[in-house]
Amino acid sequence: MKKTVGFVVLASYLLIGASCKTPVTIPDPVHVLEPVAADCGAPALRDLAAHLLDDVTSALLSGGDWHAALAAVAARAGADGLAAVKCAVSEVFFKSDQQLDYKALMDKAEVERTQLLHDRAGQYLGGK
């Protein structure tokens, strides 16, 4: 009887020890862009962002310091300029992402332009 109880206790310790040493696989986190301006749905901000969309797109495609170009657009837009620029950049990011699904149908220059817009918008939204 003592041998049986001793065997059960030993087996329990071995099982507990084995389970503690078994590595747990945790999936890699999926990078998700978080909304940069929670109020992009506000009508006034949405209108300002739509108004700035061409300027924001031009700034993202700038051959120079595109971060400074975006900052200049935001400064010219007034008090809500930065939030509106962030909303416009977010719009550019998601539209360029959709366009890249059809890159096989686009010419090479348009693919490069769209990819550049997408990459820079993603960097801006990601805070890099």
Side-chain angles (χ1 to χ4, degrees), residues 48 52 72-84:
L48 182 57
L52 296 177
V73 172
R76 285 192 310 267
D80 290 331
L82 182 59

Side-chain angles (χ1 to χ4, degrees), residues 2-109:
K2 285 184 180 184
K3 285 184 181 180
T4 304
V5 172
F7 178 74
V8 170
V9 171
L10 179 62
S12 300
Y13 281 120
L14 290 175
L15 287 174
I16 291 171
S19 66
C20 291
K21 292 180 183 178
T22 304
V24 177
T25 304
I26 299 173
D28 291 334
V30 176
H31 179 66
V32 176
L33 290 175
E34 296 180 16
V36 291
D39 53 357
C40 282
L45 192 58
R46 188 175 59 239
D47 290 345
L48 182 57
H51 179 70
L52 296 177
L53 198 54
D54 287 341
D55 291 339
V56 165
T57 301
S58 295
L60 286 171
L61 292 172
S62 171
D65 184 353
W66 58 272
H67 285 282
L70 285 174
V73 172
R76 285 192 310 267
D80 290 331
L82 182 59
V85 164
K86 288 180 180 181
C87 291
V89 170
S90 182
E91 182 72 17
V92 168
F93 178 81
F94 290 113
K95 283 187 177 183
S96 63
D97 192 50
Q98 290 172 341
Q99 282 181 313
L100 287 172
D101 288 340
Y102 301 100
K103 66 182 175 185
L105 303 174
M106 299 162 55
D107 64 33
K108 184 179 177 181

Side-chain angles (χ1 to χ4, degrees), residues 110-127:
E110 187 62 26
V111 170
E112 289 173 357
R113 177 184 179 277
T114 304
Q115 189 67 57
L116 181 64
L117 278 171
H118 185 265
D119 293 346
R120 287 183 174 179
Q123 288 175 1
Y124 185 80
L125 295 173

